[in-house]
Amino acid sequence: MSTPVTPKAPRILVLGGGYVGLYTALRLQSKLRAGEATVTVVEPRSYMTYQPFLPEASAGSLSPRHVVVPLRRVLKKCEIINARVVALDHTARTARLDPIDGPEYDLAYDIVVVALGSVARTLPIPGLADEGVGFKTIEEAIYLRNQILNCLDVAESTDDLARRRRALTFCFVGGGYAGVEALAELEDLARDATKYYKKITPEDLRFVLVEASDRILPEVGPDMGEYTLLQLSERNIDIRLKTRLESCTNGVVTLSDGTTFESDTIVWTAGVKANPALTNFAGLPTDERGKVRCDATLQVTGVEGAWGAGDNAAVPDLANPGKETGPSAQHAVRQAKRLADNIVATLRGGEVKEYRHKYVGSVASLGLHKGVAQVYGIKLKGWPAWFMHRTYHLSRVPTLNRKLRVVTDWTLALFFKREIVSLGSISMPFHEFEAAAGVNTSTGALSTHEAARR
Ligand SMILES: Cc1cc2nc3c(=O)[nH]c(=O)nc-3n(C[C@H](O)[C@H](O)[C@H](O)COP(=O)(O)OP(=O)(O)OC[C@H]3O[C@@H](n4cnc5c(N)ncnc54)[C@H](O)[C@@H]3O)c2cc1C
């Protein structure tokens, strides 16, 4: 496909429509004058995901549609391209895009913002790629909700004790906030759901958390991490510290402490790494972890017309000399605003400013009415921490429309019981029709229709 003609106004190409991408584009569209620049956002999904709400979406406290922000609705003055950037040549100022349909093509730009975030840091553990699932996207959050409820259905409907035990065993690997919040919320959901099953009690559920270091939830500090450990242990969650997953081929989990068990559900949340697409970016320096190197102004170090922020950028932390800003939504949102202001300043020949923010701490939800927090040095646990988690994230979720939808979900949840329907078959929508048409779909394999569409 031929290269589209560069518009007269400079094109600001924002790669990624997550926290940094969305907030940068929002700021640019509100600050730029008409015709001053074109803002183009490249993102494979048509929405930004508010990741801190994924555990609640998974547990059914929030509707999945309310934790994502439709890019075309909020970025009305920007051009949105649903594609993946696969390579970039900053000297030629072109990015190679792989659109959601059709062949790859090159897009010319004048200024680039690198906001591709991170991806799960996996290890070559036997069985992991086939049996594991991450917890970074809304699709994974919905899948896990369906999977856990489906496992309860399986356990209730079989007399095979080994099959039942395997279905009721859920293994989470990685004790940072993504893993701990996901496990805590889903355990809460599963325990709550057992009320509706005749043959399953909460004691039948086995949730295992595997963590290689000697603590969990480092984000909230050592004593709050200790409290979380206690809280989860009291809920019968089997926590294995200083333990690694060694293999999980065919769902047979083997841990480094010698323990072996079978599980249908293996969730991998053991860290993230910079987006691997950056390895194909020519002309932008990266550090040893593959992150794009940036100055405190968020300009890519020594490179004109290139900016970076968020999980895929190595940015000096001026509030903690010698360190870099950590991968968090807190930094991503603030960096995006500074970065956008600096781009506007550059376009107008003004002064750029450095990014400085002292990390205020973290809040984590551990299920309905349970939480842990350390913010501005204040430590909270239980209901107050959970309440702070909700109010903090409500204040942060983008757009008034989303805030109102989230509050409505929470309010409804006060009056109605949690929804416990598993819609696992939603991922195989053609089976019913194909069975009616005489196609053999009994094996559980992908139907021809589904295989063709993937
Ligand atoms: C479950 C969970 C809970 C969290 N809770 C908290 C919390 O409570 N507090 C906190 O501060 N932080 C939290 N975080 C971390 C926070 O969400 C991230 O630090 C933040 O999202 C980083 O923003 P980003 O813009 O760098 O990356 P992202 O928000 O991940 O955005 C990157 C975007 O790039 C897109 N992309 C990827 N590859 C390509 C490509 N090749 N081409 C084009 N686009 C691409 C992705 O689809 C994505 O939309 C949590 C994370 C998770 C997973």
Side-chain angles (χ1 to χ4, degrees), residues 53 56-64 66-67 390 405-407 409-410:
F53 274 154
E56 286 205 52
S58 207
S61 308
L62 288 175
S63 160
H66 300 165
V67 306
R390 284 206 157 179
R405 287 172 192 263
V406 165
V407 169
D409 284 351
W410 284 342

Side-chain angles (χ1 to χ4, degrees), residues 70-348:
L71 295 177
R72 288 188 175 82
R73 185 191 285 182
V74 296
L75 298 176
K76 291 202 175 87
K77 295 190 198 163
C78 302
E79 179 189 19
I80 313 289
I81 301 179
N82 291 121
R84 273 182 185 281
V85 58
V86 288
L88 182 128
D89 181 350
H90 192 63
T91 320
R93 306 255 168 154
T94 55
R96 174 142 282 252
L97 306 187
D98 180 11
I100 50 173
D101 195 18
E104 292 182 1
Y105 64 94
D106 289 333
L107 183 70
Y109 66 84
D110 300 281
I111 296 169
V112 68
V113 177
V114 187
L116 297 174
S118 49
V119 299
R121 179 166 41 84
T122 54
L123 297 170
I125 294 171
L128 182 61
D130 295 326
E131 307 291 331
V133 60
F135 199 78
K136 263 189 82 64
T137 66
I138 192 70
E139 294 81 1
E140 289 166 336
I142 298 170
Y143 163 79
L144 268 172
R145 170 185 174 72
N146 287 329
Q147 164 69 4
I148 285 182
L149 292 172
N150 188 49
C151 282
L152 297 187
D153 293 347
V154 168
E156 179 92 338
S157 315
T158 180
D159 291 330
D160 179 339
L161 286 184
R163 181 71 197 93
R164 187 180 140 88
R165 205 171 310 119
R166 178 179 166 122
L168 296 178
T169 301
F170 308 96
C171 179
F172 288 69
V173 187
Y177 53 13
V180 169
E181 282 192 308
L183 172 137
E185 288 282 356
L186 287 165
E187 189 271 343
D188 214 43
L189 162 74
R191 195 160 20 85
D192 205 28
T194 56
K195 285 191 262 179
Y196 305 101
Y197 291 82
K198 298 224 166 9
K199 295 195 273 175
I200 306 173
T201 66
E203 291 69 40
D204 294 329
L205 303 173
R206 184 180 183 198
F207 276 80
V208 185
L209 175 62
V210 182
E211 164 57 45
S213 77
D214 59 356
R215 61 181 178 149
I216 58 168
L217 221 54
E219 294 86 353
V220 291
D223 37 355
M224 289 294 101
E226 220 20 69
Y227 162 79
T228 309
L229 201 67
L230 217 71
Q231 227 273 334
L232 296 182
S233 306
E234 278 167 11
R235 285 160 62 179
N236 270 339
I237 293 168
D238 180 355
I239 303 176
R240 309 285 174 119
L241 298 181
K242 295 198 224 161
T243 308
R244 282 169 288 103
L245 174 69
E246 297 216 313
S247 82
C248 57
T249 309
N250 298 326
V252 180
V253 175
T254 306
L255 304 181
S256 58
D257 63 3
T259 312
T260 297
F261 55 85
E262 290 191 28
S263 172
D264 281 341
T265 315
I266 297 157
V267 188
W268 180 265
T269 55
V272 291
K273 63 177 184 189
N275 194 305
L278 293 174
T279 53
N280 299 323
F281 281 24
L284 303 186
T286 49
D287 72 0
E288 61 295 342
R289 291 159 306 156
K291 293 188 179 194
V292 62
R293 274 186 206 280
C294 295
D295 296 339
T297 60
L298 303 163
Q299 184 178 330
V300 176
T301 308
V303 183
E304 255 185 55
W307 304 79
D311 286 11
N312 74 177
V315 178
D317 186 351
L318 298 186
N320 273 305
K323 299 218 163 121
E324 283 170 1
T325 58
S328 75
Q330 209 178 112
H331 282 304
V333 172
R334 289 174 173 83
Q335 287 177 346
K337 289 181 182 157
R338 168 66 21 238
L339 187 160
D341 288 353
N342 282 349
I343 291 181
V344 175
T346 316
L347 287 172
R348 296 176 187 165

Side-chain angles (χ1 to χ4, degrees), residues 374-386:
Q374 168 140 234
V375 180
Y376 293 116
I378 301 166
K379 297 168 188 170
L380 293 174
K381 30 189 167 172
W383 194 90
W386 171 81

Side-chain angles (χ1 to χ4, degrees), residues 332-374:
V333 172
R334 289 174 173 83
Q335 287 177 346
K337 289 181 182 157
R338 168 66 21 238
L339 187 160
D341 288 353
N342 282 349
I343 291 181
V344 175
T346 316
L347 287 172
R348 296 176 187 165
E351 286 282 299
V352 295
K353 291 189 185 149
E354 292 184 324
Y355 170 77
R356 178 189 289 269
H357 168 69
K358 191 160 168 37
Y359 194 73
V360 299
S362 289
V363 286
S365 159
L366 301 177
L368 204 57
H369 304 153
K370 305 173 219 34
V372 62
Q374 168 140 234

